[in-house]
Amino acid sequence: MGSYIQSTKAQQQEMLQKIGCKSIEELFSNVPSDVALTRPLNIPEGMSEVEVMQYMQDMADENTVFKTVLRGAGAYRHYIPAIVKSVVTKEEFVTAYTPYQAEMSQGILQSIFEYQTMICSLTGMDVSNASVYDGASAAAEAVAMCRERKRAKAFVSACSNPDVIETIKTYCSGNGMSVELIPEKDGVTDLEALKSMLCDDLACVYIAQPNYYGIFENLEEASEITHSIGAKLIAGCNPIALSIIKTPFEAGADIAVGEGQPLGMPLSFGGPYLGFMAATNAMMRKLPGRIVGETVDHDGRRAYVLTLQAREQHIRREKASSNICSNQAHCALTAAVYMSAMGADGMKEVATQSMSKAHYLKSKLESIGFESVYDKPFFHEFVTTGGKMGAKKALEALEKNGILGGLLLDDDKILWCATEVVTKKEIDKAVAVLEEVGK
Amino acid sequence: MKLIFERSVEGRNLTLLPKCDVETAALPEGLARTSALNLPEVGECDISRHYTELAKGAHGVNDGFYPLGSCTMKYNPKVNEQAAALPGFADIHPLQSVETVQGALKSLVLAEELFGEITGMDNVSFQPAAGAHGEFTGIMLIKAYHESRGDSKRTKIIVPDSAHGTNPASANMAGYTIVSIPSNEEGCVDLEKLKAAVGDDTAGLMLTNPNTVGVFDKNILEITKIVHDAGGLNYYDGANLNAVMGVARPGDMGFDVVHLNLHKTFSTPHGGGGPGSGAVGCKSILTPFLPLPRAIRNGDKYELLTKNETSFGRVKEFYGNYLVVIKALTYVLTLGAEGIREAAQIAVLNANYMMNGLKDAYEMAYPGFCMHEFVMTLEGMKKEYGVSAMDVAKSLIDHGIHPPTMYFPLIVHEALMIEPTETESKETLDEAIEALCAIASEAKSNPEAVISAPHTTPISRPDEVGAARNPKLRYEF
């Protein structure tokens, strides 16, 4: 029923006549009859706009939107400033393709250049690309970047997000690199174990900072150990935490990657999110994907273009550094607007408040019998036991009260998270609910 | 245009957050950031005006005709955006319990059924985030299939020389050696060359049909049979599905696995380079190897399949670019069976109408009817008047039209590839034909004017060589 075709039937006839064709079917004469579909597609009849919105609304209503979210584990609910939504819905940004034609795409190109600059500021690294799909694929691409002729092994911290570990493993099973996990010890990467694992064919080490359990790793020591054998260190970063903690560059990382969703993107059931990637100058030409550079036009004016394209698939084909073509440009724009709106002070405030609320939540949980599993400095996530009633029951009780509690990990453990949008009142309520159930 | 950093004034900011209502936690010793965090210090009005200015320096489908071949720049319906912005989709956490996301799981199962039917495939994964990501996923499925059969000698993927660059790059990422086969005079697969290329080391063939020169390969059943007979599988690059949806299905052409570009064929916006969605459909022989988790129906409930022994792994966090899937689903539900087929038909009509309108002014690389796009070669024009495909493309910008795809496919010299899509009106096509014909005349009468185009844009042609030689990839504070 719905249609976005604008030519009328009369115009279509006129067009056919001009081409010298009796019917539209004639244009499909190359499609052999034994391949052509002889029946209508078995999908529902089309809908009017009113009907389709009702249909989608009904489906959306079957999902629960929690007012209080104490769950992170790779997807974080932060405040999204009104200006961010206003800017990113501008249709010139929304409906443009990749900026192949620089002369009519300076706005898009400049926005990416600004994004790259901000990612460099945040991570302390020299160069950033224009984005990849998400934090997990960014980590996997970073691992692939480190491969050298005699180095085809990657060590990945067991304290990384499981999705990141699995994605790295998938990419490596494709390109023939081998992956080993660096074991966890007391909630952090076991650096003594890393030392004992070192080998000449090690390409890189991946460690998340903070790690999956929210705990701060000793990235500097990991860097020393990794570099002692000539391998590269990849830091997986939370972009909010980066505003207050030592940058991956300061800690000695060669590549910094991460999930950029906290920078202004809604939870969206997992996507679209943003993979950010930044590296040292030495690794610039191994970065995958689009990169925007500054240059001048024919008349000497400042201009922006897609650059270093000799790395990319449309030029290098099977020899390209990656197959990536479309990325998450609109999400990168979102992140840039978010960081502009927040500014350095705002970013630090988001980080500090998130961390403070998480610490408050932890102390309150501890007071009612949820024991802390790891006694280590943490950012805005932490792990506790399931308290008196057990983890599963605790989370169900919260859910019944409109609160999305932490994530159930194995063995009766809960991974909690708090961000700046959670109020003290909400935390107190959650704890009261748990206390009541535990009685 | 000023950079946002050049608008920065020390001490300027927005008031966004309330005071912290709990005790402030302190970072452990030695962990605090010591280097400056250089972000712009701007007000809300600054931001609004800055990005409005940048938006004016961008060109989307909303700004005008965008006949970028192979990219299917059709109109992006606004109801799709409205549906995806519903809080019930946009504000749900990916790790909520399945009981609280029944609608989301239902939408994925429904989308799987619809896209499965459109492509003639049994199952669909929405985890891949873009076309190239889908290609990688599809090739990994093929790899997992051969490995599951203990068939380890299949190390090669065959790719025609007309293929998108992502095809060989994706197969390489999956660990395959690429065998490139030349196309025949019609731009189609050369059957003899294909027969000579296949063998017991063939893992599969990657093909676009209609192909990148806009021609439907009428030997398609024979092609896929040759590969199957050799023990390989057939991969369908869905970049050009817009030409045949509702008319013919990859699954009926002998393909085992297909990726779709929901951001092309199914009308979701491209956002200046993404996010897209590279949904992958496959025949049931490949289903066991699909990435997890997958939404599945169990009676009248929906669940997430998170574990099995056979999946080749995961290519991304969570379930893919979910909101893009919601937009594409809204589109398919709006069009329905008839609308889908009609879209393909009019896309093909529009392309043929433009091709016909241009055939006297330009040389067509493959004369005859085309499908949804066609390729012109400007080799003659370049030889005779010194005006290249690039020059004509840049000149189009002065007419408010986004240039076609240039210098692709690689098998056509001085190529311009035009794909009007079904959502453009006859008037728009007439204007574009007129503009291109005017440029062709100008190329003869005043080539210098075309060579120096564009003349109406904020910048003239940029120095790309200089940009790559002395990379300046960020603002220096």
Side-chain angles (χ1 to χ4, degrees), chain A residues 63-65 69 74-78 80 85 259 261-262 264-274 328 330-331 334, chain B residues 83-96 101 104 107-108 126 275 316-327:
Chain A
N63 299 320
T64 308
V65 177
V69 177
Y76 303 95
R77 199 179 65 144
H78 288 284
I80 302 173
K85 292 178 194 167
E259 175 48 70
Q261 176 271 333
M265 277 141 267
L267 290 170
S268 315
F269 200 50
Y273 287 178
L274 165 72
Q328 303 283 116
H330 192 256
C331 302
T334 306
Chain B
L86 290 169
F89 296 131
D91 294 337
I92 49 174
H93 194 286
L95 299 173
Q96 288 184 204
V101 290
S107 66
L108 287 170
F126 295 97
K316 195 187 176 306
E317 296 159 7
F318 309 118
Y319 328 106
N321 282 339
Y322 176 69
L323 294 186
V324 180
V325 179
I326 287 295
K327 294 177 194 182

Side-chain angles (χ1 to χ4, degrees), chain A residues 42 71 91 107 121 170 250, chain B residues 33-34 57 62 95 117 314:
Chain A
N42 184 21
R71 189 170 296 186
E91 298 203 324
S121 292
T170 302
E250 287 172 308
Chain B
R33 180 174 177 126
T34 54
N62 268 35
L95 299 173
E117 166 67 8
R314 167 193 279 286

Side-chain angles (χ1 to χ4, degrees), chain A residues 113-189:
Chain A
F113 183 81
E114 291 174 354
Y115 161 82
Q116 289 173 183
T117 305
M118 292 183 205
I119 292 297
C120 288
S121 292
L122 206 54
T123 57
M125 307 304 283
D126 299 317
V127 288
S128 158
N129 69 7
S131 76
V132 293
Y133 310 131
D134 65 358
S137 66
E141 289 275 15
V143 167
M145 274 172 75
C146 297
R147 186 185 193 153
E148 291 173 21
R149 197 175 309 163
K150 289 182 179 163
R151 293 178 185 268
K153 199 172 267 180
F155 292 165
V156 176
S157 166
C159 303
S160 312
N161 183 309
D163 281 12
V164 171
I165 297 176
E166 282 182 46
T167 305
I168 291 175
K169 281 184 176 168
T170 302
Y171 275 60
C172 287
S173 76
N175 67 22
M177 288 178 78
S178 66
V179 180
E180 283 176 43
L181 290 184
I182 314 166
E184 173 238 309
K185 194 181 176 198
D186 303 329
V188 291
T189 312

Side-chain angles (χ1 to χ4, degrees), chain A residues 235-250:
Chain A
C237 316
N238 176 307
I240 300 292
L242 281 179
S243 63
I244 56 169
I245 66 169
K246 215 167 249 185
T247 66
F249 182 81
E250 287 172 308

